[in-house]
């Protein structure tokens, strides 16, 4: 993205001229204080929002210029994971994951195949018929991740996926995201979790007041001393 | 969209329709459409009655006794040239007397025997196409030379024209009111449906479901509400109208109520179509808005 500025109604400047480029297959942490603009940045990538100024290119396509119908098709290639999982409580684990394919009218056979593969990947095949409420937080997040990857996305965008989880469970989630990244999927993740960032030694982009203030290839959560 | 999808989404809409709020909405639509139907039926019947009466509207233009043959011919020509005039028939003094005699009957014919000369004026009987134009035409004829006096149609007919106009304006207003009101009620109910499923919608949007896919069940739900409401109302009106028209025919045969079952059936279908429009407009209003807000 180039020179991206996002101003919310009420003159809230969430992003002020951000330039950021992420290679295919990268793993990038976005860190920074609350209100720095991390979530806003992520939402521009999956076209949850459009910038006030500047351009956003994803896979060579100008995301801003997409028509409504194209936006829907575009989002099928991006998996999104949130802090609060966003699972449907009255549907089973299997149904939650399948939901992502059903609403884009994938063929039945393909749905069955892809959902089992995704549940395998996150290690929850044995809980396919459980309801989200019967699962632990980490397991729920795994279901959300399974849903995000079930359609083989190019990019997984995760906004504080470990925000509600304890350190051990978080480590499991990070291992999973790492695996997904190893298979060639780009992962962009916003987080406050210092431990995770420091341990993973991946690219770190630090934001402050809507600007990128640091961008390191193999960074730590804080400046190295 | 695939057939399987349509089936799934439709059954979803039906499930949603079974909620009490949706059923309440259907009942409100029934009430609205009933009100509209009553107004429309009254207006239609009055109009048909009016047309029957209007068909006989005539101006009688009395001529002055001293009118010459030439003036009479000129007058006839100018009356004919007025647009809206369909027929002009000359009734001479003698004919007028004959006509009156016929009306009074043989027993009273003696009444004329003593008369020194015929007191009745000659006249033109002028037929006009539309009753509501009669007074304008009369005004124009009155200014012509040789015209003594003009009489036309019973007062009732003229009043009826005005009353009909008011009736149709009211019916139109009720129709607009029902259309807007019912659409808004449907829209509100659908808003509740959307709200109940907002999490699903949010996820659908995130994983790339198309607008059509997201909209479909809500539009179907609105459509069903409209069709159901209008359908029930039509059925009620249909049955009630038969009963009422039977009763009127027995009690007041001169009213000649419109009972053309084909026409009624077509009207009922029209009402159901109206309900469908209400349902679609109502649901589309609220869902489009929801999608727009959510980007
Ligand atoms: N929808 C919105 N409308 C108005 N202002 C918003 C909106 N979303 C975010 N903001 C504002 O934009 C700024 C950046 O918010 P953003 O959510 O991107 O920060 P963040 O870095 O993700 O914070 P956190 O770590 O708390 O999630 C904040 O000042 C926030 O108040
Ligand atoms: Mg955030």
């Amino acid at each position: 993205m180039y020179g991206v500025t996002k101003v919310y109604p009420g003159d809230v400047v969430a992003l002020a001229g951000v330039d950021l480029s992420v290679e295919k297959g990268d793993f990038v942490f976005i860190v920074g204080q609350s209100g720095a603009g991390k979530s806003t940045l992520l939402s521009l990538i999956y076209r949850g929002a459009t910038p006030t100024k500047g351009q956003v290119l994803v896979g060579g396509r100008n995301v801003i210029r997409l028509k409504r119908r194209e936006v829907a098709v575009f989002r099928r290639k991006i998996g999104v994971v949130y802090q609060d999982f966003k699972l449907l409580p009255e549907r089973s684990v299997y149904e939650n994951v399948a939901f992502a394919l059903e609403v884009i009218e994938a063929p039945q056979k393909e749905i069955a195949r892809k959902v089992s593969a995704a549940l395998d990947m996150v290690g929850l095949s044995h809980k396919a018929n459980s309801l989200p409420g019967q699962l632990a937080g980490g397991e729920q997040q795994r279901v959300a991740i399974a849903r995000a990857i079930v359609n083989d996305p190019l990019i997984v965008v995760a906004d504080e996926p470990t925000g509600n989880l304890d350190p051990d469970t978080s480590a499991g989630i990070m291992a999973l995201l790492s695996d997904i990244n190893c298979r060639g999927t780009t992962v962009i993740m916003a987080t406050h979790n210092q431990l995770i960032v420091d341990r993973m030694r991946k690219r770190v982009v630090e934001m402050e007041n809507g600007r990128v203030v640091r961008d390191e290839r193999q960074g730590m959560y804080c400046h190295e001393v | 969209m695939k057939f399987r999808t349509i089936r799934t989404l439709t059954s979803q809409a039906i499930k949603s329709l079974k909620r009490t709020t949706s059923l309440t909405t259907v009942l409100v639509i029934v009430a609205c459409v009933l009100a509209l139907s009553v107004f429309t039926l009254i207006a239609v019947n009055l109009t048909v009655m009016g047309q029957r009466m209007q068909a006989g509207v005539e101006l009688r233009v009395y001529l002055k006794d001293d009118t010459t043959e030439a003036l009479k011919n000129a007058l006839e020509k100018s009356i004919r040239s007025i647009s809206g005039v369909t027929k002009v028939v000359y009734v001479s003094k003698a004919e007028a007397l004959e006509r009156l005699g016929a009306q009074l009957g043989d027993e009273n014919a003696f009444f004329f025997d003593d008369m020194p000369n015929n007191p009745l004026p000659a006249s033109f009987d002028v037929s006009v196409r539309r009753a509501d134009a009669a007074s304008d035409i009369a005004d124009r004829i009155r200014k012509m030379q040789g015209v003594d006096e003009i009489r036309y149609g019973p007062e009732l007919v003229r009043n009826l024209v005005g009353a009909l106009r008011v009736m149709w304006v009211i019916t139109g207003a009720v129709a607009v009111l029902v259309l807007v009101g019912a659409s808004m009620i449907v829209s509100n109910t659908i808003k509740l449906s959307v709200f109940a499923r907002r999490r699903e919608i949010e996820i659908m949007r995130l994983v790339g479901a198309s607008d059509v896919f997201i909209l479909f069940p809500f539009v179907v739900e609105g459509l069903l509400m409209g069709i159901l409401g209008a359908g029930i109302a039509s059925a009620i009106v249909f049955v009630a109208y038969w009963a009422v028209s039977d009763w009127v025919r027995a009690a007041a045969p001169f009213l000649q109520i419109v009972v053309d079952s084909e026409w009624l059936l077509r009207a009922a279908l029209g009402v159901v179509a109206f309900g469908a429009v209400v349902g679609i407009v109502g649901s589309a209003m609220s869902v489009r808005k929801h999608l727009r807000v959510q980007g």
Side-chain angles (χ1 to χ4, degrees), chain A residues 81 150 164:
Chain A
V81 181
V150 72
N164 283 343

Side-chain angles (χ1 to χ4, degrees), chain A residues 2-76:
Chain A
Y2 307 99
V4 167
T5 294
K6 174 71 183 178
V7 182
Y8 284 112
D11 286 340
V12 181
V13 181
L15 296 176
V18 171
D19 293 310
L20 180 70
S21 159
V22 177
E23 292 300 314
K24 188 166 158 39
D26 263 6
F27 195 117
V28 185
F29 286 113
I30 314 281
V31 300
Q33 285 190 327
S34 215
K38 305 183 295 294
S39 298
T40 305
L41 185 80
L42 295 186
S43 69
L44 293 177
I45 296 170
Y46 60 83
R47 191 60 164 74
T50 49
T52 314
K53 235 161 65 187
Q55 302 298 325
V56 181
L57 294 164
V58 177
R61 296 204 65 177
N62 191 329
V63 175
I64 298 153
R65 295 236 187 85
L66 295 179
K67 300 196 182 76
R68 275 190 79 83
R69 190 143 21 105
E70 295 170 328
V71 168
V73 175
F74 167 75
R75 286 194 184 137
R76 296 173 192 185

Side-chain angles (χ1 to χ4, degrees), chain A:
Chain A
M1 54 181 75
Y2 307 99
V4 167
T5 294
K6 174 71 183 178
V7 182
Y8 284 112
D11 286 340
V12 181
V13 181
L15 296 176
V18 171
D19 293 310
L20 180 70
S21 159
V22 177
E23 292 300 314
K24 188 166 158 39
D26 263 6
F27 195 117
V28 185
F29 286 113
I30 314 281
V31 300
Q33 285 190 327
S34 215
K38 305 183 295 294
S39 298
T40 305
L41 185 80
L42 295 186
S43 69
L44 293 177
I45 296 170
Y46 60 83
R47 191 60 164 74
T50 49
T52 314
K53 235 161 65 187
Q55 302 298 325
V56 181
L57 294 164
V58 177
R61 296 204 65 177
N62 191 329
V63 175
I64 298 153
R65 295 236 187 85
L66 295 179
K67 300 196 182 76
R68 275 190 79 83
R69 190 143 21 105
E70 295 170 328
V71 168
V73 175
F74 167 75
R75 286 194 184 137
R76 296 173 192 185
K77 283 292 143 203
I78 297 187
V80 186
V81 181
Y82 286 97
Q83 178 172 1
D84 60 357
F85 321 136
K86 293 197 194 294
L87 299 176
L88 299 169
E90 71 284 6
R91 294 179 193 240
S92 72
V93 166
Y94 183 94
E95 287 165 347
N96 263 284
V97 178
F99 188 72
L101 295 175
E102 267 157 13
V103 300
I104 61 171
E105 300 182 80
Q108 287 290 9
K109 258 177 148 171
E110 190 185 318
I111 293 179
R113 183 173 55 76
K114 284 186 164 176
V115 174
S116 347
L119 285 177
D120 258 355
M121 176 90 196
V122 301
L124 280 179
S125 300
H126 59 293
K127 300 232 170 152
N129 296 318
S130 308
L131 292 177
Q134 301 166 333
L135 301 181
E139 291 174 322
Q140 291 189 33
Q141 190 60 293
R142 282 169 186 273
V143 177
I145 291 173
R147 184 180 61 197
I149 61 168
V150 72
N151 200 26
D152 309 318
L154 303 170
I155 306 174
V156 167
V157 173
D159 196 349
E160 302 187 34
T162 60
N164 283 343
L165 307 174
D166 64 63
D168 281 351
T169 316
S170 298
I173 295 292
M174 290 317 298
L176 178 56
L177 286 174
S178 254
D179 284 351
I180 291 165
N181 178 237
C182 285
R183 297 196 316 179
T185 307
T186 311
V187 177
I188 305 174
M189 167 173 164
T191 185
H192 287 293
N193 193 324
Q194 183 167 353
L195 198 69
I196 285 172
V197 177
D198 291 351
R199 196 182 287 162
M200 299 265 296
R201 287 265 163 189
K202 297 283 189 186
R203 181 177 171 193
V204 174
V205 173
E206 183 176 350
M207 302 196 54
E208 202 179 299
N209 294 327
R211 286 173 205 284
V212 174
V213 293
R214 182 164 63 101
D215 189 346
E216 283 178 85
R217 270 275 106 193
Q218 294 193 317
M220 305 280 277
Y221 189 86
C222 301
H223 277 290
E224 288 168 84
V225 271

Side-chain angles (χ1 to χ4, degrees), chain A residues 46 68 72 75-76 78 80 82 86-91 99-100 102-108 147, chain B residues 1-2 4-5 12 197 199-200 202-211 213 288 291-292 294-295:
Chain A
Y46 60 83
R68 275 190 79 83
R75 286 194 184 137
R76 296 173 192 185
I78 297 187
V80 186
Y82 286 97
K86 293 197 194 294
L87 299 176
L88 299 169
E90 71 284 6
R91 294 179 193 240
F99 188 72
E102 267 157 13
V103 300
I104 61 171
E105 300 182 80
Q108 287 290 9
R147 184 180 61 197
Chain B
M1 212 184 262
K2 293 180 183 173
R4 168 166 64 88
T5 315
Q12 211 169 68
R197 296 189 50 222
R199 290 165 63 89
E200 269 172 79
E202 185 192 0
I203 295 165
M204 282 197 256
R205 298 181 58 73
L206 282 177
V207 300
S210 65
D211 277 357
F213 190 95
R288 292 296 300 181
L291 290 181
R292 197 122 302 174
Q294 306 293 309

Side-chain angles (χ1 to χ4, degrees), chain B residues 29-92:
Chain B
I29 295 176
V30 170
C32 286
V33 174
L34 276 181
L36 177 60
S37 303
V38 169
F39 271 101
T40 310
L41 284 174
I42 292 176
V44 165
N45 275 293
L46 286 182
T47 304
V48 172
M49 279 178 218
Q51 275 164 356
R52 284 200 189 114
M53 290 186 197
Q54 281 172 29
V57 168
E58 279 190 352
L59 305 181
R60 185 159 298 170
V61 179
Y62 293 108
L63 305 182
K64 290 186 177 135
D65 261 354
D66 56 2
T67 308
T68 62
E69 185 71 14
L71 185 57
K72 184 213 109 187
N73 287 338
L75 195 57
E76 179 168 358
K77 232 168 112 190
S78 20
I79 292 174
R80 266 186 213 287
S81 72
I82 297 174
S83 75
V85 170
T86 52
K87 214 169 97 190
V88 179
V89 176
Y90 180 68
V91 182
S92 69

